[in-house]
Amino acid sequence: MPRRGRFRLLREYARRLDVTEIPSIEDALRESRAQELKKRAGPVIPRFFGKNVQATGEPPLIAKLRKLSKDAVIERMISERATNEDLVDLHQDIKSMFGPEEKGVDSGWLDYDDFCKARKVAAPSLREALSLRLFLALPKSQSGFIKVDAVLCYLCRFLENQQGYLSLRKVVEMTGGMGGSAAISIESLTLWLRAQASQMTEIKQSYAVLESVYSQTSARKFAFFLDPNRTGRIGLTHLISSSHFAHFQHVQEREKLSARDRAQAPAQPNADPVRWFEPKTALKLYRVFAQLDVRKKARLRKEDFAKWNSGSLTTRFVDQLWQVIDMPKHDKKQSKEMSFDAYLDFALAMSHRFTPEGIRYLFGILDSESLGFLGRFHVQRFIDSIFDKLKQQNRGLPEEKKEGIVNEIFDMCRPRDAGKIEVRDLLASGQGGRILSIMIDATLFWLHEHREHILAGQNPNKTGRS
């Protein structure tokens, strides 16, 4: 049949065909897409995390069995962990096995073969720490030897971290379980810190309230640095491996010493981070808070908090602090009042204002509009508030200096985008803490403005205004 005849037959067939019997293009595409996705899906993805036991309605007997099993595992880990006696025995074995007469080197050094022999004679609980990774990480001499003292110091830290991890994990299980990840809540951490504080000599001999205050101040520092997103939970591994936990352990070790041994003990090289975990620091913070709390309700009003540090904070900063920080409302006027935890966060930010965490906290208060930057207009407003505070203190400066101070702040920061100061600019400049200090505190601004007179040993109040 010729091509024209076949086309005529198809056209007649299309006229007779009912259009309703033909499926729409959208339905056909939808069905083919569903079949394609079904082929690509493959097997069903398993659920990695089950629901909470109480939410699923699991029988109480099974939930009790699971809790007992977890407790049994933790108790077994505690019983099998290394002890100080194991570390002393390892030190004696190293001294007896490797001497200068054997290899012609100082007995305080080990090569890899000696390291492997020490690993074999060590207790089973210490062998996991004496790994090849440790040997490669420790500093070596030109001949490839490592110091025995470096190995022993690492093992001491390993024992302390292991003991802290197991005790924290036991507290977590007692207060509700580990959940989907090995993390501890701030409330559980506070309970653990309170149990540790009860064993410290200085707290035993002091006020009864100091035990609670000490645990609260220590927990807030851990949360301030290790929980930047304010989730209320800290990973156990992240907590144990942090330098803050090492500082806390250092204070605990000093508390175990007698008064004579404590005086003869070497001073901590970097004492500022350690000082926060000392009981006298917690007592000092609580006394300042109690002095500001004139109503004795464990809450601070805005006008009470404004008297902090002899009223050196500017009015604008205090207003924006009350605007940004989440605080409960108590009185009939629905005005915010600061709790002791919120006060500790502020005290941490001011005492650690040169750290990235402190800079982010203070910058978040200054950037109350959540713009992500501070423009010249914002900086000018904070400098105006500084000048108003200085006038109240009878230390006023000429108004002509405002523009120069704003320019100096931008010169110190060196922002990437001219006219906009961001957090990354403050961190990159290395002077973020100083820049924020002179924008919120009149006393710190006065010290910065007269730093040359102070370095020269002169009294800035008698040298005139500069």
Side-chain angles (χ1 to χ4, degrees):
M1 181 181 293
R3 183 178 299 176
R4 183 174 296 178
R6 283 183 294 179
F7 180 74
R8 187 182 297 111
L9 290 176
L10 289 174
R11 187 173 57 183
E12 293 178 359
Y13 176 75
R15 290 176 180 176
R16 298 175 183 178
L17 188 64
D18 188 4
V19 182
T20 58
E21 297 178 0
I22 303 177
S24 62
I25 299 178
E26 291 80 4
D27 295 340
L29 292 176
R30 191 181 298 110
E31 184 178 357
S32 62
R33 180 62 177 170
Q35 293 178 358
E36 184 180 357
L37 292 176
K38 191 174 182 180
K39 291 179 181 179
R40 293 183 181 180
V44 180
I45 299 177
R47 293 171 57 187
F48 295 99
F49 300 102
K51 294 182 179 180
N52 194 2
V53 175
Q54 297 179 357
T56 57
E58 190 175 11
L61 185 60
I62 298 179
K64 183 68 174 179
L65 178 61
R66 178 181 287 105
K67 185 178 183 305
L68 293 176
S69 300
K70 290 182 179 180
D71 295 342
V73 170
I74 296 176
E75 292 296 337
R76 178 175 59 83
M77 294 174 64
I78 293 176
S79 62
E80 294 178 356
R81 70 177 181 86
T83 59
N84 295 332
E85 288 75 11
D86 297 334
L87 187 60
V88 173
D89 295 341
L90 177 62
H91 189 200
Q92 296 296 331
D93 293 338
I94 293 177
K95 291 175 62 177
S96 60
M97 291 176 59
F98 312 116
E101 65 277 3
E102 182 176 345
K103 291 208 169 188
V105 297
D106 187 10
S107 59
W109 295 85
L110 298 175
D111 61 2
Y112 185 66
D113 293 334
D114 298 337
F115 183 80
C116 292
K117 292 180 182 179
R119 187 176 186 275
K120 291 181 180 179
V121 300
S125 53
L126 290 177
R127 290 175 188 172
E128 58 176 326
L130 297 172
S131 60
L132 175 61
R133 180 179 298 179
L134 173 63
F135 184 84
L136 296 176
L138 292 177
K140 302 177 184 60
S141 63
Q142 296 181 354
S143 303
F145 288 80
I146 61 175
K147 281 189 175 182
V148 176
D149 294 340
V151 177
L152 296 178
C153 289
Y154 174 81
L155 292 178
C156 288
R157 179 73 186 277
F158 174 78
L159 293 182
E160 294 175 355
N161 291 348
Q162 189 182 46
Q163 181 180 2
Y165 176 83
L166 293 176
S167 60
L168 283 170
R169 183 169 179 178
K170 189 173 182 180
V171 171
V172 170
E173 292 295 340
M174 293 174 57
T175 56
M178 299 290 287
S181 60
I184 183 172
S185 62
I186 304 301
E187 293 78 9
S188 301
L189 179 61
T190 306
L191 293 176
W192 182 80
L193 290 170
R194 187 164 187 172
Q196 301 298 318
S198 61
Q199 304 174 4
M200 302 176 71
T201 306
E202 187 173 350
I203 294 181
K204 289 181 180 179
Q205 300 174 354
S206 185
Y207 304 98
V209 72
L210 183 58
E211 181 179 319
S212 176
V213 172
Y214 178 80
S215 60
Q216 198 169 357
T217 54
S218 301
R220 292 314 301 178
K221 181 169 185 179
F222 286 123
F224 185 83
F225 285 96
L226 304 181
D227 184 23
N229 296 327
R230 300 298 183 265
T231 60
R233 300 179 69 84
I234 304 175
L236 287 182
T237 305
H238 186 38
L239 174 62
I240 296 299
S241 60
S242 65
S243 59
H244 309 286
F245 193 80
H247 298 156
F248 172 74
Q249 289 180 326
H250 174 78
V251 174
Q252 277 195 315
E253 291 298 327
R254 290 184 64 89
E255 286 293 325
K256 294 179 182 179
L257 300 176
S258 61
R260 180 179 180 181
D261 295 338
R262 195 182 306 170
Q264 297 177 356
Q268 183 75 6
N270 189 6
D272 289 339
V274 181
R275 193 175 295 119
W276 183 272
F277 293 108
E278 294 180 353
K280 59 182 181 182
T281 302
L283 184 59
K284 180 180 178 181
L285 290 168
Y286 182 74
R287 284 176 176 173
V288 173
F289 182 83
Q291 291 175 359
L292 296 176
D293 184 19
V294 294
R295 302 177 302 165
K296 305 305 177 184
K297 292 187 176 181
R299 300 187 303 268
L300 298 181
R301 296 172 299 182
K302 184 192 298 187
E303 54 269 23
D304 298 334
F305 176 78
K307 300 176 183 178
W308 180 83
N309 195 20
S310 303
S312 61
L313 295 176
T314 62
T315 305
R316 178 170 295 278
F317 175 76
V318 175
D319 293 340
Q320 295 194 184
L321 175 67
W322 245 250
Q323 178 183 350
V324 174
I325 302 301
D326 186 16
M327 303 179 190
K329 300 178 181 179
H330 294 279
D331 56 1
K332 297 180 180 180
K333 298 181 180 179
Q334 294 296 309
S335 59
K336 292 183 177 181
E337 295 182 356
M338 177 180 284
S339 62
F340 187 56
D341 286 340
Y343 172 78
L344 289 176
D345 289 339
F346 168 77
L348 277 165
M350 291 300 295
S351 59
H352 299 81
R353 59 183 179 274
F354 298 99
T355 62
E357 292 80 7
I359 291 175
R360 292 190 181 95
Y361 178 92
L362 295 175
F363 183 85
I365 297 175
L366 300 185
D367 184 22
S368 59
E369 301 174 3
S370 300
L371 299 176
F373 65 90
L374 296 177
R376 297 186 66 90
F377 172 71
H378 303 93
V379 177
Q380 183 68 46
R381 289 194 304 176
F382 287 110
I383 297 302
D384 291 342
S385 186
I386 286 287
F387 272 62
D388 294 340
K389 178 63 67 172
L390 290 176
K391 287 182 180 179
Q392 297 176 8
Q393 299 175 352
N394 296 325
R395 295 189 295 183
L397 296 176
E399 296 290 332
E400 298 80 15
K401 299 195 65 175
K402 290 184 179 180
E403 187 66 24
I405 294 172
V406 174
N407 295 332
E408 181 184 358
I409 290 176
F410 277 88
D411 292 340
M412 293 169 60
C413 185
R414 299 187 301 273
R416 299 181 184 180
D417 188 357
K420 294 181 180 180
I421 297 178
E422 302 180 4
V423 175
R424 60 180 182 178
D425 300 325
L426 294 172
L427 296 175
S429 66
Q431 303 187 68
R434 178 171 299 182
I435 294 172
L436 295 174
S437 300
I438 63 179
M439 293 171 61
I440 64 177
D441 194 300
T443 301
L444 296 178
F445 173 83
W446 181 262
L447 295 176
H448 171 77
E449 190 70 13
H450 298 83
R451 57 191 180 278
E452 297 179 356
H453 299 152
I454 296 175
L455 291 176
Q458 302 174 359
N459 188 353
N461 296 322
K462 296 181 180 181
T463 55
R465 296 172 181 176
S466 60

